[in-house]
Amino acid sequence: MDERLISERQALSTVARSESRPRLGEALVQRGLLRHKDLEQALQLQRRTGDRLGRILIALGLVRRWQLYQVLAELWGHPFVDLLREPVDHHLARHFDPEDLVARRCIPVRREGGAVLVATAEPPSPALAELVRSALGPVEVKPVVTTDWDIDYAIRRVFRETLLDRATMGLYYHNPSESARTVFTRWQLGALVALGLGIAAGLHLATTLTLIALVALVNVGFMANVLFRFVVSMAGAQFEHVQAIGDEEVAALRDEELPTYTILVPVYREANVIGPLIENLRHLDYPASKLEILLLLEEDDEETIAAARAARPPETVTFVTVPNGEPKTKPKACNVGLFFAKGEYLAIYDAEDRPEPDQLKKAVIAFRKGPPELVCVQAALNYYNATENVLTQMFTLEYSYWFDYILPGLDRLRLPIPLGGTSNHFRTDLLRQLGGWDPFNVTEDADLGLRAAAKGYKVGVINSTTYEEANSRYGNWIRQRSRWIKGYMQTILVHTRNPVKLVRATGWRNLFGFVMLIGGTPLTFLCVPILWALYLAWLLARSQLGQALFPPAVLYVSLFNLLIGNGLMIYLNMLAVFKRRLYSLIPFALLNPLYWMLHSIAAYKALWQLLTRPFYWEKTLHGLSRYATPDAALVRPREPFA
Amino acid sequence: MRLADVSWRGHLLRVALFSVPFVVLGLYVQWLGFLSDSHALVLAKALLAVDRGRLEVIGFVYPPLPFLLATVWPSAWTLSLLSGVAAGATAWLLWYDLRRTELPLAARTVLLASVALVPGMLFLATQSFQEMLALHLLLVAWHYFLNFVRYGHTWSGFTAGLVLGLAFFASFYAIVFALAFALASPIYSRLREDGEDRSAPADLARTMVIAFPALWSLTSWAYLTWVFTGNPLRFLSDPAAPVLIPPAGAAIAGALRSALHQTLAELLQQPLFLAVAGLNLLYRRRRAVAFLSVPLILALIRSAGFVYGELFALGTYSLIALAGIPRRISLSWSVVLVAVALLQVVASARLGTQSPGMVDWQAAVTLGRANDERKQERALAERLAQAPPRSILADDRSAYQVIAHTGTARPFLLPADSEFASALDEPREHVAYVLAATRTAAPGDEIGLRFAERPPDGFLLDGTWAGWSLYRRVDAPSLLSQP
């Protein structure tokens, strides 16, 4: 009876305390940290978004983070601690899994006698004590309050090596066969050596026949690739006007339905684009309090870090320092960011990106409309400096063709979609299940898209565009393109390690699409100079040997490639202008064969690097364009076809 | 949008149904022993390519598409079948267009029949696969072109362009149509009401989409011809499709006058075309311009020395007439159209009937048998088929009918073979037989030129009949006197 009375009294006093305890907003106003009308504004937003008041106040810049948490500490009845000044016992903290600490937003600070001081950014609860005792045994838990930023900062410091290890080796430890850390497996190396020896033996024993076989193989492969692209792009063109997500659907979306969205922006040596980046992200149409923007900065990139600080980004932007270590790649940085991501969805943007404002909302709708296994949706990419010079015009044609026709065509034909390097939107939980990105693959996006398909997940496309800066300098273009092609080579090597398993997992149809796209692309570019060289040699010399290398069937395929193949690729490039009405670019489609020669140069550089520096990330310089604002020639896609 | 309201299976089924009468007629005439020159030329080349295992031995016959399709199964039956299907597919598309006009069923039937069942069109439909194929492809391209320019359907635009590019390999005049469509696209874009971009770059883009494939096909084919023969335009005077007959010393003005005269005379035999042009002037004034430009373009083509055949012209006018009938015309106008259609039957009944091929064909159809000359040629071919491989020196520029009836090119040594030139100089050393045309040999036929009157050294006359002499080497057995 006495015990029940005591517990009733305790319950009553708790209720009495909570009734007498001022609310957060009122408390801030009372302490002169917030104006009353600002509180009204924030409450109005809270009613609309359903989000926490504290987050709204921070996102709107009405209250500083540390001030908010100081008041929360008072309200929760616990002391406030500044983890920038308060040292954290690393040894104590390492009793815990950092993922649990990130999820629970807490970190043990130190022991005090028989008790453990635990910093938390959430209201202290029995669950917190349970977490601590599960790692440390029966101890007294003394909560102290700190900001969520402090928690993440402390975790990054304490678990620096663990973070680096997981970001770098996580996928490899999880499944070595999925990581490009091993460039060639034993059997692949053996097969390559055997192939080389076979060709050498063939050339020695039956030169003409071997050469005919090689010429035939190259030509047939080239023809197959051209026809494949033709079929896919016409499939994409047939549904050109179908808008997967309409404006009315976006408008009908209520802010309270929207989940937290994490945006990862890896930057490296890009001090000059930080300012515009912050500005571009500001234009996103999404409740600021539900946006978590993580700017991923390399530890040794002091210039960019300084530029980021100087840009004074809003509170929704958090700097995440990526520990220095090899390989120094974008996917590694993204894995660090993924570790700290708290959003239900996650998107990647590059530093120079200008996404359309409603892109996040369209992604949310796409996920909600899509099947449960939809792991990622890809937005289209295009360029805001399309007309800057010949190279940017060709690049824009290429990208328009790829994102407006090829990817939708792949989607329609239910073939695997290789992701673009940016504007990929993920379901965060499924992304973690997939193991994140492969830091050893320099086109981690393409690899991830295919890894998803191999595991039965789906990748889709959304009708939204992110505008980027097209490379306007040939050297820079070749560096960028060589990295992409090297990445494709890495991806094909990784995913063909176990061909039988791949077929069983994805089916023949997906395997075909994968081989044609990911394998066919670098092979085609490697073969193009050989084909042109053979043709020119034949044309100039008209030697008997030249004719001997082209028996009837081979000759017909070669002629098809030379005439029909090149013509088709030029014609399909013309397709690129229609969806976005980039009509002024159409004459440049005629230069497609020359553009492919640039690809070939990049492909040979890629091959060389695959063998000598497979993980080297060829950095693309940004901010070179003289265009400060989106190009006037670029317009929104046409209205849905009636 | 055109054609999208029927599934591809639906299209195929209807094509099959509409093809039946044409296929039956073609096979029937084939069974009687008649083989048109057009089909015989294609078939002879196809037999040669299949027997020698090399496509290029045919010296790049133009147009190549009918020839390539014939190599799949080279026989006269194949060409009759293909021709009938092309005709049926065209008839189906015309019926599809007539349905859209909402004319009464009886009127539509009379209109289609008035075009399809005149002798000239029946001959074209069953005995000239390449021209029928070209007309069909042009009609298909026209439908997709309309979808492109009226509704901005990009896929249709590219399909139209590709079909026109393919059509070049069935007829040189696909270039003309491609350019006409391409130049018309800016005009169509200005007729749209949906605010479609009308800037110069947009016009250029739409024009390039339509014109590029045909121009690329032309360039590619000219290039191939140049590489293998040294003359990029040689294909224009190919015996299989004489497109270009350079006017021999005629003044340009004279050529134009003559061409206009021919075109006008032709036009007067196309009352249906004239009536539909008039209806468009009444209902769709801007489209009438397109109608009026057709005879002008044909006249210009002819004045430049190009050959636009009478039957091909008949087919062109007929297709444009039926495809161009405006929608929802009044009942009284539909009655007028039917009357004009009946007049069309009478007016165009004699078109093309004076050509030798058509005379023989008509005789076969009406009398139920091929003429004696054709029968003899067939009998000869059966004998020649028994000869050893490469033992008969012949020139397919003249002997294509014989080769086609033989059903194989194996017994013949032809100009495409590397040893032909040597055999021509020393027949005794290379062949056992020589087949020479004794009537008008084709231009370039050296065998006819040298041996029409007398046998080569070491050869005897084995037999003569209807325009041919067969010589045998003195030690070779007779092919003609065998039981």
Side-chain angles (χ1 to χ4, degrees):
Chain A
M1 172 78 78
D2 288 337
E3 284 174 358
R4 198 174 62 206
L5 276 172
I6 290 169
S7 67
E8 278 178 0
R9 278 188 195 142
Q10 277 174 346
L12 280 168
S13 69
T14 305
V15 169
R17 270 207 304 278
S18 68
E19 281 176 347
S20 64
R21 186 190 304 160
R23 291 182 171 188
L24 173 62
E26 291 163 8
L28 289 166
V29 170
Q30 279 171 13
R31 285 155 182 76
L33 297 172
L34 181 68
R35 293 182 303 180
H36 196 79
K37 71 168 187 175
D38 290 336
L39 174 62
E40 285 304 315
Q41 179 195 356
L43 287 172
Q44 204 176 20
L45 205 53
Q46 187 188 36
R47 279 189 287 275
R48 214 174 75 211
T49 64
D51 203 358
R52 288 181 173 183
L53 180 64
R55 286 173 62 166
I56 292 171
L57 291 170
I58 291 171
L60 291 177
L62 297 173
V63 174
R64 302 296 300 275
R65 192 184 297 269
W66 62 270
Q67 289 171 331
L68 181 94
Y69 277 92
Q70 274 189 333
V71 171
L72 279 173
E74 285 179 38
L75 293 177
W76 293 343
H78 294 282
F80 178 81
V81 66
D82 180 353
L83 291 182
L84 286 178
R85 294 199 172 96
E86 192 74 36
V88 170
D89 182 348
H90 288 208
H91 177 71
L92 177 67
R94 285 178 188 152
H95 279 86
F96 295 83
D97 187 327
E99 283 185 29
D100 287 337
L101 297 179
V102 168
R104 303 289 185 107
R105 297 189 195 208
C106 67
I107 187 168
V109 180
R110 63 173 180 274
R111 289 183 191 272
E112 276 186 355
V116 174
L117 216 66
V118 180
T120 177
E122 293 291 319
S125 66
L128 175 67
E130 203 178 300
L131 171 70
V132 173
R133 285 175 191 138
S134 67
L136 300 177
V139 292
E140 186 189 346
V141 176
K142 282 189 182 177
V144 290
V145 179
T146 189
T147 73
D148 49 357
W149 187 92
D150 280 54
I151 300 283
D152 286 349
Y153 172 78
I155 291 173
R156 284 196 294 275
R157 285 194 65 174
V158 170
F159 294 97
R160 182 186 181 283
E161 298 305 320
T162 307
L163 270 180
L164 184 60
D165 191 49
R166 286 194 191 182
T168 309
M169 302 296 287
L171 181 69
Y172 183 77
Y173 292 147
H174 174 69
N175 189 349
S177 67
E178 289 180 342
S179 169
R181 185 170 181 256
T182 305
V183 180
F184 295 99
T185 58
R186 272 193 206 161
W187 82 259
Q188 284 175 330
L189 211 52
L192 279 172
V193 168
L195 182 67
L197 288 173
I199 292 173
L203 288 171
H204 178 69
L205 297 170
T207 313
T208 306
L209 203 60
T210 306
L211 286 173
I212 289 173
L214 289 172
V215 169
L217 204 62
V218 163
N219 272 289
V220 168
F222 186 90
M223 183 167 83
N225 203 273
V226 167
L227 292 176
F228 174 74
R229 281 168 189 265
F230 169 69
V231 168
V232 172
S233 47
M234 291 303 273
Q238 207 167 14
F239 300 95
E240 177 194 67
H241 294 278
V242 173
Q243 299 284 345
I245 297 161
D247 290 342
E248 61 287 343
E249 285 180 276
V250 175
L253 209 51
R254 290 171 298 152
D255 284 354
E256 67 209 45
E257 298 174 54
L258 296 172
T260 302
Y261 217 114
T262 301
I263 294 177
L264 301 183
V265 187
V267 289
Y268 183 54
R269 301 210 193 286
E270 289 174 300
N272 54 330
V273 294
I274 290 292
L277 162 67
I278 305 291
E279 195 52 38
N280 292 333
L281 293 177
R282 240 189 259 277
H283 291 130
L284 285 169
D285 176 21
Y286 206 83
S289 62
K290 295 188 175 183
L291 262 186
E292 176 190 44
I293 300 174
L294 304 182
L295 206 60
L296 309 174
L297 301 156
E298 292 287 336
E299 203 171 43
D300 63 344
D301 187 9
E302 290 169 6
E303 190 189 0
T304 308
I305 293 173
R309 287 202 182 112
R312 301 177 68 80
E315 289 279 348
T316 47
V317 178
T318 303
F319 296 171
V320 175
T321 309
V322 178
N324 196 16
E326 294 296 327
K328 195 192 288 296
T329 60
K330 175 180 159 183
K332 189 193 80 182
C334 289
N335 282 339
V336 173
L338 177 62
F339 190 87
F340 291 97
K342 297 176 185 68
E344 184 178 332
Y345 302 113
L346 178 152
I348 309 285
Y349 289 120
D350 283 346
E352 79 281 15
D353 284 356
R354 297 178 189 176
E356 283 182 332
D358 59 358
Q359 190 169 111
L360 301 189
K361 287 185 175 177
K362 280 186 173 173
V364 170
I365 295 171
F367 280 116
R368 288 184 181 164
K369 282 167 74 169
E373 63 271 20
L374 182 64
V375 63
C376 176
V377 292
Q378 169 77 58
L381 304 180
N382 213 280
Y383 296 116
Y384 55 75
N385 61 330
T387 56
E388 187 161 350
N389 58 25
V390 173
L391 185 61
T392 60
Q393 280 158 333
M394 299 298 305
F395 208 168
T396 305
L397 272 177
E398 181 191 8
Y399 253 38
S400 301
Y401 172 62
W402 181 257
F403 284 98
D404 294 342
Y405 292 97
I406 289 284
L407 290 198
L410 290 171
D411 197 30
R412 285 280 162 190
L413 295 172
R414 291 175 287 124
L415 291 171
I417 295 176
L419 298 175
T422 169
S423 307
N424 321 132
H425 298 258
F426 295 93
R427 265 186 54 185
T428 312
D429 58 340
L430 294 185
L431 177 60
R432 288 190 171 119
Q433 280 181 28
L434 278 171
W437 294 271
D438 183 355
F440 295 94
N441 191 317
V442 296
T443 47
E444 74 292 346
D445 39 9
D447 166 70
L448 186 55
L450 291 156
R451 194 168 353 122
K455 295 195 170 186
Y457 291 109
K458 297 237 178 301
V459 171
V461 293
I462 52 171
N463 51 317
S464 177
T465 300
T466 296
Y467 293 96
E468 297 190 300
E469 177 191 347
N471 238 313
S472 55
R473 297 188 191 173
Y474 289 90
N476 205 27
W477 185 96
I478 287 177
R479 273 195 293 279
Q480 183 184 55
R481 194 53 58 113
S482 68
R483 175 172 63 79
W484 294 356
I485 295 175
K486 183 171 74 176
Y488 268 35
M489 293 174 179
Q490 286 179 307
T491 304
I492 191 92
L493 284 170
V494 166
H495 290 280
T496 52
R497 280 175 183 165
N498 202 331
V500 172
K501 188 176 161 195
L502 184 64
V503 170
R504 280 197 193 132
T506 64
W508 285 104
R509 182 194 188 96
N510 278 345
L511 177 69
F512 173 74
F514 160 69
V515 166
M516 291 306 294
L517 270 175
I518 305 299
T521 299
L523 281 175
T524 301
F525 293 136
L526 288 171
C527 292
V528 160
I530 300 172
L531 292 172
W532 279 111
L534 279 171
Y535 165 63
L536 286 171
W538 172 83
L539 191 66
L540 294 170
R542 301 277 192 114
S543 67
Q544 288 301 314
L545 176 62
Q547 290 180 6
L549 289 183
F550 290 90
V554 178
L555 177 66
Y556 306 145
V557 174
S558 304
L559 286 172
F560 177 90
N561 287 338
L562 176 67
L563 299 170
I564 307 299
N566 276 299
L568 257 185
M569 291 319 298
I570 291 172
Y571 195 51
L572 290 177
N573 234 21
M574 292 184 185
L575 193 59
V577 310
F578 282 86
K579 186 163 184 174
R580 294 174 191 274
R581 302 185 186 178
L582 303 171
Y583 298 124
S584 62
L585 300 185
I586 202 168
F588 293 92
L590 299 171
L591 298 178
N592 194 62
L594 295 175
Y595 192 57
W596 274 36
M597 291 308 295
L598 278 182
H599 280 83
S600 295
I601 296 170
Y604 278 96
K605 184 176 178 193
L607 184 62
W608 175 250
Q609 279 199 2
L610 181 73
L611 300 171
T612 57
R613 303 167 80 183
F615 316 125
Y616 175 64
W617 186 280
E618 192 86 66
K619 179 82 185 93
T620 308
L621 299 174
H622 292 297
L624 304 176
S625 170
R626 62 174 187 268
Y627 282 71
T629 53
D631 195 276
L634 291 170
V635 296
R636 281 171 57 81
R638 287 180 285 174
E639 292 306 312
F641 166 78
Chain B
M1 255 208 335
R2 294 190 176 221
L3 303 182
D5 51 340
V6 179
S7 69
W8 66 269
R9 283 191 188 90
H11 279 297
L12 277 181
L13 181 65
R14 287 158 177 84
V15 165
L17 284 170
F18 276 82
S19 301
V20 167
F22 300 107
V23 170
V24 166
L25 178 62
L27 293 177
Y28 169 65
V29 173
Q30 157 64 24
W31 176 73
L32 290 176
F34 177 84
L35 184 65
S36 67
D37 282 347
S38 165
H39 281 189
L41 265 164
V42 172
L43 183 54
K45 296 290 189 187
L47 288 168
L48 176 62
V50 167
D51 184 66
R52 306 302 195 254
R54 292 185 72 100
L55 287 176
E56 68 272 24
V57 298
I58 49 82
F60 290 96
V61 69
Y62 183 80
L65 189 56
F67 153 76
L68 282 172
L69 291 171
T71 53
V72 174
W73 190 268
S75 88
W77 303 103
T78 305
L79 285 166
S80 295
L81 181 67
L82 288 174
S83 192
V85 170
T90 308
W92 154 239
L93 282 181
L94 291 174
W95 183 253
Y96 177 88
D97 287 333
L98 286 171
R99 258 188 6 193
R100 288 168 63 94
T101 62
E102 296 173 13
L103 289 169
L105 177 62
R108 282 186 264 142
T109 309
V110 170
L111 282 165
L112 184 63
S114 72
V115 156
L117 302 182
V118 293
M121 280 303 288
L122 281 176
F123 181 82
L124 195 74
T126 60
Q127 302 300 321
S128 183
F129 173 49
Q130 69 196 49
E131 287 177 319
M132 202 62 240
L133 178 62
L135 286 173
H136 174 67
L137 290 174
L138 292 173
L139 190 60
V140 170
W142 168 247
H143 283 83
Y144 285 114
F145 170 75
L146 286 181
N147 287 346
F148 179 51
V149 293
R150 281 190 184 158
Y151 309 110
H153 196 239
T154 307
W155 184 88
S156 291
F158 278 79
T159 302
L162 288 169
V163 171
L164 286 166
L166 184 67
F168 171 78
F169 296 114
S171 168
F172 174 77
Y173 299 108
I175 290 288
V176 177
F177 283 91
L179 291 174
F181 288 0
L183 293 172
S185 59
I187 300 171
Y188 274 96
S189 70
R190 276 146 184 80
L191 297 176
R192 283 173 67 178
E193 294 170 359
D194 60 356
E196 174 62 21
D197 193 334
R198 295 170 185 182
S199 63
D203 285 341
L204 177 65
R206 286 187 279 266
T207 304
M208 280 181 75
V209 164
I210 298 298
F212 179 82
L215 291 174
W216 185 267
S217 295
L218 168 64
T219 312
S220 302
W221 195 254
Y223 168 75
L224 276 180
T225 310
W226 170 72
V227 165
F228 291 103
T229 70
N231 178 6
L233 298 179
R234 182 189 171 281
F235 68 95
L236 291 179
S237 50
D238 189 278
V243 173
L244 187 64
I245 297 178
I252 293 175
L256 183 58
R257 209 168 26 241
S258 163
L260 275 171
H261 183 259
Q262 181 189 1
T263 305
L264 198 60
E266 222 168 49
L267 203 53
L268 290 174
Q269 293 173 300
Q270 305 292 328
L272 188 59
F273 177 85
L274 294 170
V276 174
L279 272 179
N280 276 280
L281 207 56
L282 208 62
Y283 283 86
R284 304 258 192 283
R285 192 161 297 173
R286 285 171 182 161
R287 283 170 60 179
V289 172
F291 277 82
L292 295 172
S293 64
V294 172
L296 190 61
I297 291 171
L298 293 192
L300 284 171
I301 288 171
R302 284 165 171 156
S303 65
F306 288 88
V307 176
Y308 202 98
E310 206 174 26
L311 290 178
F312 197 56
L314 169 66
T316 307
Y317 284 123
S318 302
L319 258 56
I320 292 173
L322 287 188
I325 296 174
R327 293 177 73 172
R328 298 189 206 102
I329 58 175
S330 66
L331 192 60
S332 51
W333 279 117
S334 63
V335 171
V336 169
L337 263 185
V338 168
V340 171
L342 294 171
L343 185 62
Q344 169 86 8
V345 174
V346 173
S348 59
R350 286 177 54 78
L351 265 177
T353 55
Q354 302 310 306
S355 67
M358 200 162 156
V359 166
D360 292 344
W361 175 80
Q362 278 188 306
V365 171
T366 52
L367 299 175
R369 57 178 173 79
N371 66 22
D372 291 338
E373 200 170 294
R374 301 269 178 184
K375 280 188 195 169
Q376 284 178 0
E377 233 167 27
R378 207 167 169 179
L380 167 69
E382 284 168 15
R383 295 287 178 143
L384 297 183
Q386 296 163 25
R390 318 267 184 121
S391 61
I392 307 173
L393 186 69
D395 193 321
D396 51 2
R397 277 171 285 204
S398 298
Y400 52 87
Q401 278 278 358
V402 173
I403 296 170
H405 280 300
T406 307
T408 174
R410 191 166 304 165
F412 301 97
L413 186 67
L414 298 167
D417 297 312
S418 54
E419 60 267 37
F420 179 82
S422 314
L424 192 60
D425 291 334
E426 293 282 339
R428 186 169 37 190
E429 304 297 327
H430 294 88
V431 293
Y433 306 94
V434 175
L435 181 67
T438 54
R439 276 209 294 255
T440 314
D445 180 0
E446 283 290 323
I447 299 177
L449 210 60
R450 293 185 196 189
F451 308 124
E453 304 294 327
R454 57 177 179 78
D457 293 339
F459 283 76
L460 305 169
L461 181 67
D462 198 13
T464 59
W465 67 99
W468 294 99
S469 291
L470 180 69
Y471 304 106
R472 64 175 175 85
R473 204 169 55 206
V474 292
D475 59 341
S478 168
L479 285 177
L480 300 182
S481 59
Q482 287 171 20

